[in-house]
Amino acid sequence: MRDMELIAEGVRTGLAKATQTLGLGGEWPLALPLNAVVAAMYIALAAVSVGIVAAVPIILVLAERKVSAYFQDRLGPMRVGPWGLLVTLADGVKLLFKEDIIPPQGDRTLFRLAPYVVFASSFAAVVALPVFPSAILGNVSIGIFYIMAISSLGALGIMMAGWASNSKWSLFGAMRAAAQIVSYEIPLGLSILMIVMTTGTLNMQEIVQGQSDGIGDWLVFRHPFLFGAGLIYFISSIAEVNRTPFDLPEAESELVAGFHTEYSGIRFAYFFLAEYANMFIVTAILTTLFFGGWSSPLGGEALLPGAVWFIAKAAVIIFVMMWIRWTLPRVRVDQLMNLCWKYFLPISFVNILGTGVLLLLEGEGIGLKLGEAFIGVGAVSWVVVPVALVVTGLAAFSGGDAKPRAVRPLTPSSS
Amino acid sequence: MSSVIFYGFAFLAIVTALVVVTSRNVVHSAFALMVTLFCVAAFYVYLDADFLAAIQLIVYVGGILVLVLFGVMMTSGRLDMKLRADAGLIAPAVIVGLLLMGLLLYVARSDSAWKRQILVEDASQQAASHIAEQAKSHTELKAVRTTPVVRRFTASYSFSEAPDASARQMLSRHVEDTIRKTGLTRLYVTSVRSGRGSDRRIEVAVEKRRTTLMDPTRNLSAEELDAMTQALTSVIPGFVPESVQVVIAVEPVHMLLIEGVTDQAVSRLTEDMGLRVVEDEKGVVGLGDSVMMGEYLLPFEVTGLLLLVALIGAAVISRKGVVV
Amino acid sequence: MYAVLTRRNAIAILMGTELILNAANLNFVAFTRYIVGGVAGQMIAVFVIVLAAAEAAVALAIILTLYQEMNTISPDETQELKG
């Protein structure tokens, strides 16, 4: 709280100077009580957060429509505004005017509360994203950990929504969603652990600063274990935000609309906003942790200001996410859990082991700096590890003759 | 202002806890528990334990509560519980609760161990004693002492031409090797900073590993400083000697030991005297300074093992068809 | 405390236990903040959280199995030990 008071002091004096030069009288800002200034600052912070969480989905919804259209060889929304740009606005207006149905047998309090919980979790996470190199809305010393914590709250909001809707489909959707989110938090957390091991800090800004020496310094390219971690993080984060191929909870063709079946109008809009905002948050974290955040490929802040790089990278990753959505079919729930527990988890453990070994051997400076010779353990591992993987794979999968498994007869046999 | 928010959280925590224990609908209880746990996390933040707050949110709210909700939703969560059915047990429960609370308040009141230590940045001895004198005039503080301590020294290497990128790593390795050779194993390199742009210095800062934040053995003694100065100003392998100059700078700070009762008293003191608090007795549990990995490594491992066993046990128990 | 002794839903009892553990944790951390002498209280709190998680997982597994057997989770009706 102390820091906020100091900043508020600065704001007050700054305001005094500004009003003085503008001729509005330079005395009254100094008389404002410090508490009020602090409160106003907090409110401004919250407003900026809400602004981001509201503005980003607007752009993303439009992007999604257009991208999906082009993938499907059609044009997408063209009539609403020039080239379809006002589509989200139209959607929003439509949702606002819909009838607000609350299921009568359902739990009214929880029903009303659920969208806000989910929205609150996205909104709280936006604060800690390091978009700008010099300033960050909330430079929490436990940066990435805080974001993980806030994402867990979203899962609870979904369960609340599912339960309160008093319908089997919602409940199942909610439980599946919660199970999915909670399960995929584990490979997510382990990948983040690798990042923290390599950079030695939980602070988002410092993680980005450790990557600002050019494209070779980006954590994803430092050694194959981190590359694997980035891949696993990317896939797990698609599962976390419930997008295809992991979008069982929404499952437009299976469970009607899953946990938000019974929601209509503005309440549905909240869920919708939260989902796209979550997508942005998760992408932003991916760029921060693995792809260098606001630093450009040429090191530091060459060519374009940091914020532009950040948004550009996030946009590319979001595009890839959308690409995947409209290309791959949905995954079954048991396949989903299988993937997480039987494949991602062991792979993550191996990754952590590998990262630990490499850190021990070379210390924190592993990575290919721009223009440096191809030396060092980190570089060598790009050759060693894939070879080791191939050899292991061959050894594991070529054991013995593969007998075809006994096929169960479709009709009961007479034996 | 911040106390308004704090009281808000406190009130919310108490109310939701009451909802948890008295609500007739188990699902309402579960969600009220979520809010209570969230408020407890907020309290941890107020107590300067933000790592713990994040752990609380992730493990308790995001893990245990989800499990509990699954349990509630899979068993008949719709049963309304009769509250008055077991009236005989209510009275003892309340009495025991109140007794425990009384015990707690009693312990908290006896302020025998309520000290604060803050580290104040100041250079000179006179300034420090001046501060101590002034501090005595704040009557709610029981005792104030200052001690000059040296916590860290910085070796700054200035080059005759701009150092290249690998210089930082080599220098930090060199310092670490020197530390090992002098046998002062508790020292370690905390940071290596290079100036940006045209600044041709690289600074390596060295501190002593600590067990607690205010560990008095953490101060660097004169002999250690001498030994390190001698060792570091000798030839640095890999660098041409003329192009590098080493300057060892020592940063003394003065530690103010204050025995007082409240946070406000201490912050009023530091505000009145315009002191800058460099370090405070804040609990930072986490990866930063590896208290968890250093001192508490064994319990950490054991607990991890226990958790694994519990996980396997839970999975085994809940298989269908197993009769315990 | 009240919840643990009075409620008739096993899961509600579990929730009461969690509340007790949380209260204890809060005390640990609070005392660490104000007493000079390291971060022991926070470490204890971390371990308590972990152990509470383990215990909750096992307890829920037991409760769910119980539910499958006896179709109820009220502790009164599931008493098989007389006395």
Side-chain angles (χ1 to χ4, degrees):
Chain A
M1 299 299 142
R2 159 72 52 98
D3 303 321
M4 286 303 269
E5 286 176 0
L6 287 174
I7 298 178
E9 186 71 47
V11 166
R12 217 167 51 172
T13 37
L15 200 59
K17 284 203 204 105
T19 48
Q20 210 164 36
T21 49
L22 284 176
L24 294 173
E27 287 306 315
W28 56 267
L30 288 175
L32 290 172
L34 206 59
N35 281 340
V37 180
V38 172
M41 282 171 59
Y42 276 127
I43 294 180
L45 199 71
V48 170
S49 253
V50 174
I52 295 179
V53 174
V56 164
I58 292 179
I59 304 175
L60 285 181
V61 166
L62 174 67
E64 170 110 42
R65 297 276 182 97
K66 283 296 194 184
V67 163
S68 65
Y70 279 107
F71 271 117
Q72 295 170 2
D73 212 15
R74 53 186 175 90
L75 287 176
M78 294 291 280
R79 295 183 193 237
V80 192
W83 206 63
L85 284 175
L86 292 177
V87 125
T88 321
L89 209 58
D91 266 348
V93 169
K94 169 193 87 173
L95 286 172
L96 272 174
F97 282 115
K98 279 206 173 171
E99 182 188 348
D100 186 20
I101 307 175
I102 303 184
Q105 250 74 41
D107 204 330
R108 289 187 180 218
T109 338
L110 291 181
F111 189 82
R112 285 182 200 182
L113 206 53
Y116 302 123
V117 170
V118 174
F119 185 70
S121 82
S122 331
F123 152 57
V126 169
V127 175
L129 297 177
V131 182
F132 304 99
S134 49
I136 184 178
L137 285 177
N139 198 9
V140 191
S141 64
I142 48 164
I144 184 63
F145 213 42
Y146 162 78
I147 294 188
M148 265 193 80
I150 296 291
S151 323
S152 330
L153 286 181
L156 278 175
I158 292 180
M159 288 193 82
M160 210 191 264
W163 173 261
S165 306
N166 191 30
S167 97
K168 281 196 284 285
W169 294 283
S170 301
L171 192 58
F172 287 153
M175 285 172 66
R176 278 194 203 171
Q180 179 181 320
I181 291 181
V182 166
S183 309
Y184 275 94
E185 262 175 21
I186 301 182
L188 214 66
L190 290 178
S191 306
I192 293 179
L193 185 66
M194 267 179 271
I195 297 288
V196 176
M197 266 165 68
T198 314
T199 51
T201 172
L202 285 170
N203 195 340
M204 298 283 254
Q205 279 288 40
E206 287 180 29
I207 293 179
V208 179
Q209 277 164 2
Q211 296 179 60
S212 48
D213 254 339
I215 195 170
D217 214 19
W218 290 358
L219 281 170
V220 74
F221 293 126
R222 285 211 192 169
H223 55 83
F225 293 115
L226 274 176
F227 187 75
L231 209 57
I232 289 185
Y233 184 93
F234 181 58
I235 303 178
S236 305
S237 61
I238 301 184
E240 284 279 317
V241 295
N242 290 339
R243 291 193 48 96
T244 331
F246 301 112
D247 68 347
L248 274 162
E250 293 161 14
E252 281 146 8
S253 41
E254 283 181 25
L255 295 178
V256 188
F259 64 89
H260 45 70
T261 315
E262 301 288 337
Y263 283 89
S264 59
I266 195 70
R267 301 187 202 278
F268 177 72
Y270 272 112
F271 279 117
F272 207 49
L273 280 181
E275 170 175 339
Y276 282 97
N278 263 335
M279 203 164 82
F280 174 67
I281 290 170
V282 138
T283 319
I285 299 175
L286 187 65
T287 62
T288 313
L289 295 183
F290 287 94
F291 286 101
W294 43 254
S295 63
S296 81
L298 298 174
E301 270 185 82
L303 292 184
L304 291 171
V308 175
W309 279 115
F310 185 85
I311 295 184
K313 291 181 204 173
V316 167
I317 298 182
I318 291 183
F319 175 71
V320 174
M321 262 193 197
M322 291 186 182
W323 185 1
I324 293 181
R325 173 177 187 178
W326 294 105
T327 320
L328 294 180
R330 184 174 297 126
V331 163
R332 254 191 358 241
V333 71
D334 63 316
Q335 288 171 335
L336 191 94
M337 289 296 163
N338 228 4
L339 186 64
C340 173
W341 293 96
K342 286 196 199 166
Y343 291 96
F344 278 177
L345 205 59
I347 296 180
S348 297
F349 284 140
V350 168
N351 275 336
I352 290 185
L353 201 65
T355 313
V357 166
L358 283 179
L359 276 177
L360 201 65
L361 290 179
E362 195 166 313
E364 288 170 12
I366 41 182
L368 305 170
K369 309 278 192 291
L370 262 191
E372 264 188 10
F374 199 72
I375 51 165
V377 180
V380 169
S381 64
W382 277 108
V383 175
V384 169
V385 169
V387 167
L389 280 175
V390 167
V391 168
T392 320
L394 284 176
F397 288 110
S398 67
D401 300 312
K403 291 198 184 58
R405 288 207 296 207
V407 177
R408 251 188 335 173
L410 282 174
T411 54
S413 59
S414 52
S415 55
Chain B
M1 172 68 204
S2 53
S3 40
V4 168
I5 302 182
F6 174 75
Y7 284 121
F9 271 123
F11 180 70
L12 192 64
I14 294 179
V15 163
T16 46
L18 281 174
V19 170
V20 171
V21 300
T22 56
S23 160
R24 272 193 230 145
N25 188 339
V26 189
V27 182
H28 278 171
S29 287
F31 285 115
L33 188 65
M34 167 179 101
V35 180
T36 314
L37 294 177
F38 186 78
C39 292
V40 171
F43 290 145
Y44 287 150
V45 172
Y46 273 108
L47 290 172
D48 290 321
D50 34 357
F51 186 74
L52 198 62
I55 292 187
Q56 160 98 354
L57 278 178
I58 295 181
V59 173
Y60 254 119
V61 176
I64 297 182
L65 203 61
V66 170
L67 272 185
V68 166
L69 274 172
F70 264 88
V72 160
M73 291 180 186
M74 289 209 274
T75 62
S76 49
R78 296 204 155 268
L79 287 180
D80 286 358
M81 296 293 122
K82 291 219 172 52
L83 213 52
R84 295 273 151 235
D86 237 349
L89 280 180
I90 295 184
V94 171
I95 291 178
V96 169
L98 285 176
L99 276 178
L100 286 174
M101 200 152 63
L103 187 64
L104 197 66
L105 285 174
Y106 174 69
V107 169
R109 285 278 164 228
S110 60
D111 52 359
S112 52
W114 290 70
K115 296 190 193 91
R116 291 285 300 281
Q117 278 180 338
I118 55 179
L119 215 52
V120 166
E121 182 200 68
D122 192 67
S124 66
Q125 173 70 37
Q126 297 101 314
S129 19
H130 174 67
I131 292 173
E133 277 306 313
Q134 285 208 314
K136 292 207 176 92
S137 63
H138 286 250
T139 48
E140 63 266 300
L141 305 172
K142 283 200 272 197
V144 179
R145 290 191 298 275
T146 66
T147 326
V149 298
V150 173
R151 287 289 172 87
R152 138 211 296 230
F153 73 88
T154 321
S156 95
Y157 298 84
S158 44
F159 294 79
S160 52
E161 52 196 28
D164 63 349
S166 59
R168 273 172 32 182
Q169 226 181 345
M170 291 181 64
L171 276 178
S172 114
R173 288 262 174 81
H174 165 70
V175 173
E176 282 168 2
D177 291 339
T178 321
I179 290 174
R180 238 174 310 194
K181 274 189 285 217
T182 53
L184 297 166
T185 48
R186 272 187 74 188
L187 299 177
Y188 70 107
V189 174
T190 42
S191 69
V192 183
R193 271 190 334 194
S194 49
R196 291 247 157 228
S198 60
D199 193 357
R200 288 167 303 175
R201 270 178 315 159
I202 295 183
E203 290 181 349
V204 181
V206 174
E207 283 182 15
K208 222 184 205 185
R209 226 176 273 284
R210 63 196 185 196
T211 49
T212 64
L213 269 167
M214 290 281 165
D215 186 358
T217 65
R218 198 182 152 208
N219 309 328
L220 296 165
S221 68
E223 303 89 17
E224 286 167 334
L225 278 176
D226 281 339
M228 285 307 296
T229 316
Q230 271 188 345
L232 281 175
T233 45
S234 56
V235 174
I236 310 167
F239 285 92
V240 179
E242 298 88 49
S243 66
V244 180
Q245 285 190 324
V246 177
V247 170
I248 310 271
V250 157
E251 295 173 21
V253 294
H254 281 88
M255 183 162 74
L256 209 61
L257 173 61
I258 302 180
E259 284 180 43
V261 181
T262 54
D263 246 350
Q264 283 98 325
V266 174
S267 54
R268 259 204 304 271
L269 171 76
T270 45
E271 261 171 35
D272 287 349
M273 300 204 293
L275 297 175
R276 191 170 81 97
V277 178
V278 168
E279 213 173 83
D280 199 348
E281 180 72 38
K282 284 191 206 174
V284 176
V285 174
L287 309 169
D289 269 304
S290 8
V291 172
M292 186 141 59
M293 292 297 148
E295 204 182 325
Y296 290 94
L297 189 58
L298 181 62
F300 190 64
E301 298 281 329
V302 169
T303 321
L305 207 59
L306 198 70
L307 196 57
L308 186 65
V309 170
L311 188 68
I312 298 179
V316 166
I317 291 178
S318 51
R319 268 193 335 208
K320 276 209 162 92
V322 174
V323 176
V324 176
Chain C
M1 181 65 65
Y2 176 71
V4 173
L5 292 179
T6 352
R7 300 276 268 167
R8 302 176 81 208
N9 186 332
I11 296 188
I13 295 182
L14 180 66
M15 290 198 270
T17 317
E18 298 299 328
L19 276 181
I20 294 177
L21 287 171
N22 261 290
N25 254 351
L26 204 48
N27 275 314
F28 274 124
V29 178
F31 277 104
T32 317
R33 172 77 171 88
Y34 289 109
I35 295 184
V36 171
V39 296
Q42 282 191 22
M43 293 311 307
I44 295 180
V46 168
F47 291 124
V48 167
I49 289 182
V50 171
L51 291 174
E55 162 247 335
V58 176
L60 273 168
I62 295 179
I63 290 178
L64 283 176
T65 315
L66 206 61
Y67 182 69
Q68 280 163 11
E69 292 292 312
M70 311 202 188
N71 235 11
T72 175
I73 49 173
S74 167
D76 292 330
E77 296 169 26
T78 55
Q79 248 184 343
E80 281 184 353
L81 298 170
K82 297 285 179 206

